[in-house]
Amino acid sequence: MIVMSAVRHAAAGAAALLLVLPVPAATASSVTEPTPPAERFIDPARLYRSGTQIQPLRGAPESPSSVSALSWLVADASTGEVLAARNAHRRLPPASTLKTLFAVTALPRVDQEERHTVAESELRGIGSGSSMVGVQAGLTYKVSDLWNGVFLNSGNDAVRVLAAMNGGWESMTRQMQDKADALGARDTRVVSPDGYDAPGQVSSAYDLAIFGRAGLQDPAFVRYCSTPYADFPAGGWSYGIRNTNRLLTGADGVSRYPGLIGVKNGYTSNAGNTLIAAARRGARTLVVSVMNPQSGGGLAVYEEARTLLDWGFDAAGRVQPVGSLAPAAVRDRSKDRQVKKAAEKGTEAGAGRSGGNAAKDSAPEAGKKSAPGAGKDSAAEVGKESDAQAGPAAGPEARTERRTGVATVSDDVAALAGPPKAVRPEDVPSGPWAGLPLALVGASLGAALSLWLWRRRSAGRGDRGV
């Protein structure tokens, strides 16, 4: 009887608590794993189709149909997403826009403050009719002066000297070809590093945009390509040189483009006019490439680039990308990094809940995983890094091997810190106790039992006093 009475009092106390405490709703939808955002699929084959490629959304501006170039492309320089293109992979002579690849390859190899005395042999082999900045044998130049000659005056003489400092003409050709391959620029064949017309030398609007985007990641490249004017030394004196990119300087009646960063223009009789241009507006940077306009004269390449930049800034966010400037291996690495970052965040959260010990244990392991890929730029290293980070795609054997040692702790903590698994509706508890912690229920029962015992003792003391 005493026990039954205690249970009745406990139940009554628990019921009273249930009346005053809010009961959280427990439904299947509140505990299932959230649906990840839909991933945008970009078909790389689309850019190999002929004609203009655009995927407009609601409110997108009209296609830039007035552009007469044989090949052109508009891309977001930050993400590499191609917003629109025409004959993107058509192989055409690049003219001096190939100097962009030359700069991307050679700039990091020589100290900009180094001084170099030019030898006569370094100026041999310059093509007839080449653009020149005026490099003279026997004079000493800073490397930065030679780069001004390359970017501003498109000087093939400056290219020759810098190539000699980077292993020679043939070696420079191979280095540029290797760099193009590593960047995923498969349409480019380098024969003459200065862009001078040579049999078999070709590139594409797609590849030129890749080179421009790669250059924008180098502060030295940006500094040179955005310089409108500079002084070029000539022994005991110097003379001024002006950038031949009219969108940057506003020369020859071409209006300057607001926010233009620069990059590189070119011309040969075989290639016609070519241009890579980059501009920034707000938080967005675009890169465009234009190859061989078919109407409008020699300055049309600038006006067509202007049209494409205007269209790109207007279309941003209102078109689906039709391609990407990032090669497949780089895109895979980016996705792996996102997965790894999310896992690391989950591990840190789990470590915080467990007192931080798991974070200490997993930190050396994270360092070991990231070290091999640090500072690598080759396609092979990209592939290795992707393989090393492929965790979830590893086979069952790999997962079995990780079930011992410190790695087991890291895996378990990451699993606990990760998103919750989906719960079936039939597994969700129901009834008046659903959603209440067990400790709360126990505490209420204990409180009710204590209250009953106190009242019992009080009643006993009252009986003895009668």
Side-chain angles (χ1 to χ4, degrees):
M1 292 295 294
I2 293 177
V3 174
M4 292 300 296
S5 178
V7 171
R8 284 196 298 270
H9 280 78
L17 286 174
L18 286 174
L19 290 175
V20 298
L21 291 177
V23 180
T27 63
S29 60
S30 66
V31 293
T32 54
E33 183 177 355
T35 303
E39 183 178 351
R40 288 194 295 185
F41 173 72
I42 299 177
D43 181 8
R46 186 183 184 97
L47 290 181
Y48 283 92
R49 301 174 189 169
S50 61
T52 301
Q53 303 300 320
I54 299 177
Q55 293 190 96
L57 300 174
R58 177 177 295 181
E62 293 184 3
S63 168
S65 57
S66 62
V67 178
S68 68
L70 295 178
S71 178
W72 55 262
L73 184 142
V74 184
D76 186 302
S78 299
T79 64
E81 292 180 341
V82 178
L83 306 182
R86 178 176 177 81
N87 302 328
H89 288 285
R90 181 172 178 175
R91 298 182 177 184
L92 297 166
S96 285
T97 50
L98 193 64
K99 288 183 173 74
T100 304
L101 174 60
F102 172 72
V104 168
T105 307
L107 254 175
R109 298 174 180 269
V110 182
D111 183 358
Q112 306 301 297
E113 298 302 314
E114 181 179 335
R115 304 184 73 85
H116 177 76
T117 301
V118 177
E120 186 72 38
S121 60
E122 295 171 350
L123 296 175
R124 293 176 188 158
I126 299 176
S128 175
S130 290
S131 54
M132 309 271 275
V133 69
V135 178
Q136 301 178 46
L139 294 185
T140 301
Y141 298 88
K142 285 176 62 174
V143 168
S144 58
D145 291 327
L146 295 173
W147 279 114
N148 279 333
V150 171
F151 277 93
L152 277 67
N153 243 55
S154 203
N156 287 4
D157 47 356
V159 172
R160 287 273 170 174
V161 175
L162 288 167
M165 297 177 67
N166 279 277
W169 199 247
E170 298 302 323
S171 174
M172 195 72 246
T173 302
R174 290 192 298 272
Q175 292 175 39
M176 290 173 63
Q177 189 64 64
D178 290 343
K179 186 65 175 179
D181 293 343
L183 291 171
R186 306 300 184 187
D187 303 322
T188 298
R189 184 186 175 201
V190 182
V191 179
S192 182
D194 54 9
Y196 190 81
D197 281 340
Q201 180 156 274
V202 292
S203 190
S204 66
Y206 180 86
D207 287 8
L208 294 183
I210 285 178
F211 304 151
R213 180 178 181 241
L216 294 177
Q217 299 174 28
D218 183 345
F221 182 103
V222 173
R223 184 171 65 252
Y224 289 121
C225 80
S226 62
T227 300
Y229 305 96
D231 290 328
F232 194 79
W237 63 292
S238 63
Y239 52 91
I241 57 176
R242 181 176 65 185
N243 200 312
T244 56
N245 184 348
R246 276 75 164 180
L247 284 180
L248 183 66
T249 62
D252 300 325
V254 177
S255 298
R256 296 177 61 184
Y257 191 84
L260 191 82
I261 300 171
V263 187
K264 191 71 187 75
N265 59 308
Y267 171 81
T268 67
S269 56
N270 189 32
N273 288 281
T274 58
L275 176 65
I276 308 169
R280 182 180 297 112
R281 184 178 296 176
R284 188 178 299 278
T285 300
L286 297 182
V287 58
V288 305
S289 53
V290 184
M291 301 188 76
N292 202 349
Q294 299 298 289
S295 64
L299 300 178
V301 70
Y302 301 105
E303 299 306 329
E304 296 197 357
R306 183 193 310 277
T307 297
L308 293 176
L309 286 169
D310 285 345
W311 180 90
F313 284 120
D314 193 23
R318 296 194 284 177
V319 295
Q320 287 279 19
V322 294
S324 175
L325 297 180
V330 176
R331 291 197 297 270
D332 291 345
R333 180 175 63 176
S334 176
K335 184 180 294 185
D336 289 339
R337 283 176 174 171
Q338 293 175 4
V339 173
K340 183 179 179 181
K341 187 175 181 180
E344 288 174 347
K345 285 184 177 180
T347 302
E348 291 172 1
R353 288 193 294 268
S354 61
N357 294 328
K360 295 178 183 178
D361 292 340
S362 62
E365 297 296 325
K368 292 177 184 177
K369 292 179 182 177
S370 60
K376 304 299 183 183
D377 191 36
S378 66
E381 292 298 330
V382 170
K384 291 178 181 177
E385 186 171 344
S386 297
D387 292 341
Q389 296 176 355
E397 295 81 6
R399 288 193 293 269
T400 302
E401 293 175 358
R402 290 201 304 267
R403 295 310 302 163
T404 58
V406 178
T408 302
V409 178
S410 299
D411 291 344
D412 292 342
V413 170
L416 290 172
K421 295 182 179 180
V423 179
R424 296 176 301 174
E426 57 268 25
D427 294 334
V428 178
S430 58
W433 304 97
L436 278 179
L438 185 59
L440 180 60
V441 175
S444 64
L445 291 174
L449 181 60
S450 298
L451 178 62
W452 179 84
L453 291 174
W454 177 78
R455 291 180 60 187
R456 187 74 175 179
R457 287 196 296 272
S458 298
R461 286 195 299 271
D463 290 343
R464 287 193 296 273
V466 172

